[in-house]
Amino acid sequence: MSNFVSKLKSFKWKKYINYVAISIVILVFGGLSLAGGLPASTVYLLEKIAISIILAVSLSLVVGFLGELSLGHAGFMCVGAYLGGKVAAMLAKTAIGDVGKGILVLIIALIVGGACAGLCGFIVGLPALRLKGDYLAIVTLAFGEIVKVLFQNSSAESFGGPIGLSTPRFDKKYLFIIGFLVVLLTLAVIQNLIKSKHGRAITAIRDNEIAAKSTGINVTKYKLTGFIIAAVFAGLAGVIFSYSQNNISSATFDYNYSIEILVMVVLGGMGNINGSIISATLITFLNVQLQNVLKGDLAVLKDLLYALILILLVIYNNAPALKNFREKYNLGNLWHKIFKPKHDPANARDDAARWDVVPTKISMDEVLSTDVLIDTTGDNSADIGERGGNK
């Protein structure tokens, strides 16, 4: 029991705090939803938050850790939403749609949507990732707009055309739970990738691409890997989005949506996964609440207020003049002030590693009384004696 307690104390909770937080959300809100005590507006908000976290964390792999600017993340989400939603709509009419209340169809749709988005990431990334900076941003932006236009001009029989694609609606009690389970999957894949040798290669490319090449790192390979993984999870988010709507329109996945996802990453901190989770949650909550409050004639003010609040948040998070204020009043310092009391000299204890309590095979007095006698006869061996006269 003592070994278990010691291991529990030495466990580095900081590395897994995001898993714990997401698991608590699943347990608490999932229990309330199953008990019927969760309003429909809260369920919708949780669905949107789960989708935003998946998008922000996946884009953070490209922008934050790989150091490449991508403005086509909504395009990969669009591919996953349309292709995964189309497969779901077709399978829902068959006998497979009745298995587990449609959970099997949802799993198949997630696999198809993620795979198709990853394939698009490979096709776009292979030539585009040889570009840098603004050029890569323009190419990914063009990809997002091309995808949107293609689905918008499709036939009504294939993907709905301008009217949009009708998709099956999963049970509201369970969809946000599945969304947060996908969030856990996203965190597991991306965080383990970053902590591995491949993740160190990716961050080395971000820090200095020329130095990374000189050490033998295959820059194109790692850039393409990060781009494909981010695209796959954007496709998964698109499938969940299609299930949360009765009808999806390509106009939703426009340039502004890609910018919104990028803002989540920048606001949370470049290369900071926990920051991306927090910023995605706050921005989504802010956006949904503004939509609920500002209705009718006041709806035109939503984008204005939303933009002003985002500008203020970005200034607070990045302004050099506010650096001392941020460091003094951040959550970490407040946590230590509240839950970590100052050291009291009256509670000081003796050092547990003092000489008289260290377990050894011989006593400390014998070790401290040992002399080394140097042999002056020319022999290579030395006699070691103790002051007590022992040889």
Side-chain angles (χ1 to χ4, degrees), residues 51 54-55 76-77 80-81 107 109-115 117 182 185-186 230-242:
I51 293 169
I54 297 170
L55 292 169
F76 298 115
M77 182 184 177
I107 294 174
L110 286 171
I111 294 173
V112 172
V182 177
L185 175 64
T186 308
V232 167
F233 284 108
L236 295 180
V239 174
I240 298 173
F241 178 82
S242 69

Side-chain angles (χ1 to χ4, degrees), residues 21-39 42-43 46 171-181:
I22 298 299
S23 300
I24 291 174
V25 170
I26 294 174
L27 292 174
V28 173
F29 289 100
L32 291 174
S33 178
L34 295 177
L38 208 59
T42 305
V43 172
L46 290 171
D171 193 341
K172 293 182 179 181
K173 292 182 180 180
Y174 307 102
L175 184 60
F176 77 90
I177 299 176
I178 296 172
F180 279 105
L181 290 176

Side-chain angles (χ1 to χ4, degrees), residues 25-80:
V25 170
I26 294 174
L27 292 174
V28 173
F29 289 100
L32 291 174
S33 178
L34 295 177
L38 208 59
S41 59
T42 305
V43 172
Y44 174 74
L45 176 62
L46 290 171
E47 292 174 359
K48 296 285 289 183
I49 289 175
I51 293 169
S52 297
I53 292 175
I54 297 170
L55 292 169
V57 173
S58 58
L59 184 61
S60 180
L61 176 62
V62 175
V63 177
F65 293 100
L66 192 56
E68 299 292 346
L69 181 58
S70 173
L71 296 179
H73 216 53
F76 298 115
M77 182 184 177
C78 182
V79 171

